[in-house]
Amino acid sequence: MPLDKPKAPFSLPKLPYEDNALEPVVSAKTISFHHAKHHKAYIDNLNRLIAGTPYEQMDLEEIVKKSAGNDKDKGIFNNAGQVWNHNFYWESMAPKGGAPAGKIADALKSSFGGIAEFNDAFTKAAVAQFGSGWAWLVKGKDGKLKITTTSNADTPLAHGETALLVADVWEHAYYLDYQNRRPDHVKDWVEKLANWSFAEKNLN
């Protein structure tokens, strides 16, 4: 992921756009709650949980990988995973996402048949994710692109896959704007906000 890798104590990253830049798909009100409250709470919890432990000397990716599957450190994984996922999520959106082009467009065509086919498959996967979670475009260990979903704080990073793009389907990501209409939110998200230049950077 082409993001900075600071070590603890972690702080809330600044958004790459203004709070109202993603309207009407994601409102400024949703951003204010999601970023300044939910995301910040995960960061504060993580800093508290790793204080005085070996995790305090690791960057965020190392913490996620090291704590994954470790029942003793489940609380650390849940918060670290949510911090990493949210850091990635904000970068996965752009005020004018537009259509993919270049290498990422070629990769989508090769893997899914085309942009429209990918959008449809991604929307269906995101809508079908039961409960809280995430819908991802990832590059698998075999180098091929695929769509996957994870529950709660789980992340492709913990499974050796390369994340390219993610949509948050926890209710707090869309409920103020779409209520229970997750399908409408995801459709608008992938067609209007998906940051394909960010996905292409992750592909390389």
Side-chain angles (χ1 to χ4, degrees):
M1 180 175 68
L3 300 175
D4 293 336
K5 295 184 179 181
K7 294 183 179 179
F10 299 103
S11 58
L12 186 67
K14 188 180 186 302
L15 292 174
Y17 33 72
E18 297 299 320
D19 284 8
N20 64 354
L22 305 180
E23 292 183 338
V25 181
V26 182
S27 68
K29 188 173 183 180
T30 290
I31 290 285
S32 70
F33 277 101
H34 196 174
H35 178 252
K37 296 187 183 298
H38 289 279
H39 191 179
K40 186 176 185 301
Y42 293 125
I43 291 170
D44 292 344
N45 287 338
L46 178 62
N47 285 331
R48 177 177 53 81
L49 288 168
I50 65 174
T53 75
Y55 287 111
E56 196 172 21
Q57 306 303 317
M58 302 178 191
D59 66 42
L60 186 58
E61 288 193 9
E62 291 175 307
I63 295 173
V64 171
K65 293 175 181 178
K66 186 75 173 179
S67 61
N70 187 334
D71 287 341
K72 180 175 69 70
D73 294 331
K74 189 172 183 179
I76 290 174
F77 174 78
N78 286 339
N79 285 279
Q82 285 292 72
V83 172
W84 194 90
N85 289 354
H86 278 89
N87 288 352
F88 199 89
Y89 170 66
W90 304 124
E91 298 288 342
S92 290
M93 297 183 287
K96 294 182 179 180
K103 291 182 180 179
I104 189 68
D106 292 341
L108 291 172
K109 185 175 182 180
S110 174
S111 298
F112 303 102
I115 308 308
E117 289 83 357
F118 165 77
N119 287 356
D120 183 58
F122 187 87
T123 300
K124 286 179 179 176
V127 171
Q129 167 59 32
F130 184 77
S132 300
W134 308 82
W136 304 84
L137 173 64
V138 304
K139 182 169 70 173
K141 296 176 183 178
D142 59 1
K144 296 181 179 178
L145 302 195
K146 64 178 182 178
I147 295 165
T148 187
T149 59
T150 60
S151 297
N152 301 319
D154 199 10
T155 175
L157 181 64
H159 305 284
E161 295 177 327
T162 302
L164 305 184
L165 203 69
V166 67
D168 188 343
V169 292
W170 284 64
E171 282 193 343
H172 61 238
Y174 63 87
Y175 202 85
L176 291 178
D177 305 319
Y178 287 80
Q179 289 77 51
N180 64 333
R181 295 181 290 114
R182 184 194 283 187
D184 292 341
H185 170 71
V186 176
K187 182 176 184 296
D188 287 344
W189 189 95
V190 73
E191 292 179 357
K192 299 174 182 178
L193 296 185
N195 186 350
W196 291 110
S197 62
F198 178 66
E200 185 158 327
K201 288 178 184 177
N202 293 312
L203 179 65
N204 295 332

